[in-house]
Amino acid sequence: MQFKQKLTPFLSYTDRAEEAAAFYVDVIPGGRMLGTVRNPQNDAVLTVEFEMAGMTFVALNAGQNWEFSPAISLALACDNQEEIDTVWQRLTADGGNEVACGWLQDKFGMSWQIVPSKLQAWLDSGDAAAIQRMFESLWQMKKLDIATLQQAFDGS
């Protein structure tokens, strides 16, 4: 395990670190496995280092039944509706669930915000009325729809 970035998030599991890392690498664009550390006493997987969207994470088999909380989430900015739809479907499959306003929880209990990349431009526009219209539309959605949000922002 190498610490290439100053801050590295650890995601802890009882015993599903390898499964979770493989899932995330498969679902998130630009994901890749970086390495595995095994317990020298029993050869069980201890940690799995992986990358999603250019950021390194470590999945840890902590042996504890700690649960994720919505107080910590991963936000993924998607460039188009197809990417939002694909990632959303895959993260909510097999026991994940839709929450609201672009939020979901995956089958491991991790909370995600799946948002359009364009969201930041809308927020930076300085147009308070357009931002309010966009948010009023967003608050009615589970999975975000870029075209509908754009129409609300534009006032059309």
Side-chain angles (χ1 to χ4, degrees):
M1 181 168 39
Q2 299 177 15
F3 291 97
K4 297 174 189 165
Q5 54 196 33
K6 195 160 184 84
L7 180 66
T8 302
F10 273 62
L11 307 178
S12 297
Y13 305 88
T14 304
D15 61 0
R16 297 176 73 189
E18 198 168 24
E19 177 188 353
F23 174 70
Y24 294 138
V25 163
D26 186 51
V27 171
I28 304 303
R32 65 187 181 113
M33 300 296 272
L34 300 175
T36 301
V37 174
R38 295 184 170 278
N39 183 328
Q41 295 177 343
N42 60 13
D43 202 41
V45 171
L46 181 61
T47 63
V48 180
E49 189 174 13
F50 63 104
E51 186 177 281
M52 293 188 292
M55 184 172 183
T56 301
F57 291 80
V58 175
L60 168 68
N61 279 331
Q64 302 290 324
N65 190 21
W66 294 324
E67 294 184 14
F68 293 113
S69 161
I72 298 287
S73 63
L74 300 176
L76 180 67
C78 297
D79 293 332
N80 55 55
Q81 192 64 47
E82 180 182 6
E83 186 179 358
I84 287 176
D85 294 347
T86 299
V87 169
W88 187 273
Q89 185 277 324
R90 296 192 67 203
L91 286 174
T92 57
D94 301 322
N97 62 72
E98 299 180 343
V99 180
C101 306
W103 289 67
L104 63 84
Q105 195 171 54
D106 70 30
K107 65 183 178 180
F108 298 102
M110 175 59 69
S111 291
W112 292 80
Q113 299 174 59
I114 310 302
V115 300
S117 299
K118 190 163 188 177
L119 181 64
Q120 193 60 53
W122 293 329
L123 296 174
D124 290 343
S125 72
D127 185 338
I131 293 168
Q132 181 65 32
R133 288 190 306 268
M134 184 272 302
F135 270 121
E136 287 175 4
S137 180
L138 182 146
W139 294 328
Q140 305 305 311
M141 300 178 187
K142 287 190 177 184
K143 178 180 68 173
L144 301 185
D145 181 275
I146 297 171
T148 302
L149 293 171
Q150 184 68 61
Q151 288 174 344
F153 183 83
D154 294 339
S156 55

